[in-house]
Amino acid sequence: MSASPPPSPYVPRLVPTGVNLRAVTPPGVVPGRIWRAGAGGEMDARTAAELATRHGLSNVIDLRSRGEAKRSGGPAALLAHGVRWARTPLAGYPRDIVHAPRPTPGQYVRYYHAILMNSAPGNIPGLFSTLAETAHEPFLVCCHLGKDRTAVVVAALLSLAGVPDDMIVADYAASGTALRPLLDRFEHKWRAHGWTRQDYLTHLDTPAVIMRTWLAELRQRHGSVRTALISAGAAPGDLVAIASALTDPRPSRSGPRART
């Protein structure tokens, strides 16, 4: 009797008109429920209209700090279509961990631990409370590049939904593919730090080893990603609600609105 073939790999489909924009659709997650992006969820009018009208996008979960949102602005094109903007910052964690011309994967693993465990008090509980209220409808998670804070949150959501690590890693690795062609758009950033163009490519890259190692270390330290989230302040009931919303395709009757 021949062995069953391995499952098909999950290949995220990038939306070229957005900054690191894509639906997160590994098997087991309700299709079209999770979206992710950079640039604070900002995008052109045509893309915003398609997300809101064709895909039913209802909420933007914005992980940027108040200062970042003030400097860069909100997701105006999505707001014009009635999408709600929930500002749920992840801030206050040490950023100097990766503030080097070419940080190593190990430094990025430490950085992701800091985002989850050392963000300002109330950030993680507030974020997952908002997600518990909104995850019954299509939502988009965003930060500046959609690469680090967004990666931490999306990986946690997928883990709660029971998605295997190899698919979480595949989704993470897609960010580097999406961001590398946009390198010169961020020239002001690497020049301001005194870095070279090649240096900044290191900051845009998302090698699989970073996410794989981070997930493994979370489990080693806390037992599971879920218990790590609880240690960071997330309410257990919120995590149960999120997992149910991400995996149950039945529409919610009338979920609560996001806080803005």
Side-chain angles (χ1 to χ4, degrees):
M1 182 175 179
S2 60
S4 300
S8 299
Y10 167 53
V11 180
R13 295 184 179 181
L14 298 163
V15 180
T17 53
V19 175
N20 199 9
L21 172 63
R22 59 190 180 274
V24 182
T25 57
V29 174
V30 178
R33 185 58 51 88
I34 308 174
W35 293 77
R36 59 181 293 173
E42 191 49 89
M43 59 194 66
D44 63 52
R46 181 177 179 179
T47 302
E50 182 172 356
L51 287 182
T53 58
R54 178 181 173 188
H55 297 287
L57 190 75
S58 297
N59 293 283
V60 173
I61 308 298
D62 191 344
L63 307 177
R64 298 176 300 163
S65 68
R66 183 183 297 272
E68 287 178 287
K70 185 176 181 179
R71 287 191 298 272
S72 304
L78 288 170
L79 297 179
H81 287 278
V83 176
R84 298 178 291 274
W85 182 22
R87 280 155 280 187
T88 54
L90 289 183
Y93 54 87
R95 305 174 74 91
D96 58 351
I97 299 172
V98 293
H99 192 74
R102 300 192 186 187
T104 66
Q107 287 173 306
Y108 264 103
V109 171
R110 288 171 50 211
Y111 186 52
Y112 291 178
H113 282 309
I115 291 172
L116 180 59
M117 306 306 297
N118 301 120
S119 287
N123 280 183
I124 293 294
L127 166 63
F128 281 87
S129 175
T130 298
L131 284 165
E133 294 178 351
T134 60
H136 60 282
E137 300 175 304
F139 64 95
L140 180 144
V141 181
C142 67
C143 60
H144 180 56
L145 292 176
K147 169 184 172 284
D148 298 321
R149 286 168 290 185
T150 297
V152 166
V153 173
V154 169
L157 294 175
L158 295 182
S159 182
L160 289 173
V163 174
D165 281 6
D166 61 341
M167 295 184 184
I168 299 175
V169 169
D171 179 72
Y172 171 73
S175 287
T177 302
L179 291 170
R180 284 182 213 112
L182 304 178
L183 173 62
D184 291 325
R185 173 172 175 169
F186 306 111
E187 180 177 359
H188 64 287
K189 292 178 67 67
W190 46 267
R191 289 196 180 278
H193 292 304
W195 299 337
T196 67
R197 190 175 187 274
Q198 192 63 37
D199 290 338
Y200 202 60
L201 274 175
T202 305
H203 288 262
L204 297 184
D205 204 10
T206 50
V209 65
I210 294 175
M211 180 56 63
R212 197 175 297 281
T213 301
W214 181 65
L215 291 170
E217 290 189 4
L218 278 184
R219 296 191 180 99
Q220 183 179 21
R221 297 180 185 188
H222 301 279
S224 69
V225 174
R226 180 180 181 276
T227 52
L229 292 169
I230 293 171
S231 296
D238 288 340
L239 303 185
V240 171
I242 291 167
S244 177
L246 297 181
T247 57
D248 187 347
R250 293 173 298 178
S252 172
R253 294 177 182 174
S254 57
R257 297 297 190 185
R259 295 188 299 270
T260 56

